[in-house]
Amino acid sequence: MEGTVDGFRYGAVTPVAAYLMACLGGALGLRCIVRSLIDEQTWKPGWLALGAASIGCGIWTMHFIAMIGFQVEETRIRYDAGLTVLSLAVAIVVVGIGVFMVGCLGAGKGALTGAGVITGLGVAAMHYVGMAALRLDGSIRYDAFTVGLSILIAIVAATAALWAAVTIRGFLTSLGASTIMGVAVSGMHYTGMAAVSVHLHGTTGASWAGDSPTSLLLPMLLGPVVFLLLAGVVVMFDPLLVLGDGEWSRSGRRPGADSEFKAPATTSPRPRREPYARKQ
């Protein structure tokens, strides 16, 4: 028996909230990447790690906020806690590989392409590991073509977001790139969910005893959401990330270098000549 799948149990609430979280994670992560590129004196591994964790947490929170709205009408669902946590680790680690590629190799065509592919695969890997955590009285099946399309969407959009963020490094441009990243994650998720069909094991409307999906997901979502808020505070209080690189990025100088100048060479005043004494 085929189950009736509904991914919008709460209407537009979960898709909109999920998209906003993906944009937030993408915005923070991409700005951290830019920060590591425009200031050679910064602690690059720290900024890149913060960027990877921000993007990974944004992807993960997007997925599971969207999954709060997912239901199969004929059976109750729950989640395996271990696989749910593993999906978060997969997102951070795989996306981190792509982020460090851009941060260490620069914004060249090869580095951006490789980083975009790996980041897109990280988005997809997180999604399908998260789906593997789903438990219900049935089996989940996927349409292979739609799965492939979802992975392609993730790769193309992630590559475009990285390119926009590191090629045009302005603050507003990075915000625009974060919306592209949000589209990548959300588009991949809902395309992947369109590939899902559920074959029920029984026809009696069996329900799963135990905790509801939200009783597990909501507490687990709290940690990544708090992390994103803290990362936002770090970015907000970094002058270079808030104000943009401006003239400094074009001149290649450190922040505040415009106010540093060499004092003009001072010359000692010419000694005053005493008038010659008149000859007597």
Side-chain angles (χ1 to χ4, degrees):
M1 176 182 174
E2 292 296 318
T4 305
V5 176
D6 180 13
F8 303 95
R9 182 178 182 180
Y10 301 105
V13 174
T14 49
V16 171
Y19 174 74
L20 291 177
M21 291 307 299
C23 289
L24 175 61
L28 295 175
L30 293 174
R31 288 306 288 168
C32 289
I33 295 172
V34 170
R35 182 65 167 82
S36 72
L37 291 174
I38 61 180
D39 186 2
E40 294 298 329
Q41 296 183 350
T42 192
W43 185 44
K44 181 174 290 190
W47 282 108
L48 293 176
L50 181 61
S54 298
I55 295 175
C57 286
I59 294 168
W60 190 86
T61 53
M62 179 276 149
H63 174 85
F64 283 103
I65 288 175
M67 290 303 293
I68 289 175
F70 175 81
Q71 67 173 350
V72 180
E73 293 183 3
E74 293 82 3
T75 184
R76 193 174 179 184
I77 62 176
R78 66 181 181 90
Y79 293 87
D80 179 87
L83 285 175
T84 302
V85 174
L86 177 62
S87 66
L88 174 60
V90 167
I92 294 175
V93 171
V94 179
V95 169
I97 296 173
V99 166
F100 272 82
M101 282 184 64
V102 172
C104 296
L105 301 180
K109 184 177 180 181
L112 278 175
T113 301
V117 170
I118 292 174
T119 303
L121 290 177
V123 174
M126 182 272 123
H127 175 86
Y128 289 107
V129 173
M131 289 300 294
L134 197 63
R135 298 289 182 265
L136 46 75
D137 189 24
S139 58
I140 299 176
R141 299 173 182 175
Y142 296 94
D143 176 73
F145 174 80
T146 311
V147 169
L149 179 61
S150 70
I151 296 173
L152 181 62
I153 290 172
I155 291 174
V156 171
T159 304
L162 288 173
W163 177 86
V166 303
T167 304
I168 309 172
R169 298 177 181 177
F171 179 70
L172 294 178
T173 305
S174 289
L175 291 182
S178 71
T179 64
I180 299 175
M181 182 68 77
V183 170
V185 179
S186 300
M188 186 274 144
H189 174 85
Y190 286 106
T191 303
M193 294 307 295
V196 170
S197 61
V198 176
H199 181 74
L200 299 175
H201 293 160
T203 59
T204 59
S207 63
W208 205 288
D211 296 334
S212 64
T214 53
S215 66
L216 172 68
L217 294 182
L218 289 178
M220 294 186 73
L221 284 167
L222 182 61
V225 170
V226 170
F227 173 82
L228 289 175
L229 294 177
L230 293 176
V233 171
V234 172
V235 171
M236 284 174 58
F237 283 92
D238 184 88
L240 182 57
L241 287 178
V242 173
L243 300 177
D245 42 14
E247 294 296 328
W248 173 76
S249 67
R250 290 191 287 272
S251 63
R253 288 179 290 180
R254 295 179 290 106
D258 290 336
S259 63
E260 297 175 1
F261 61 91
K262 293 183 179 180
T266 58
T267 57
S268 57
R270 181 176 298 177
R272 184 177 177 182
R273 288 185 170 183
E274 296 294 335
Y276 292 105
R278 292 183 179 180
K279 293 182 179 180
Q280 298 295 331

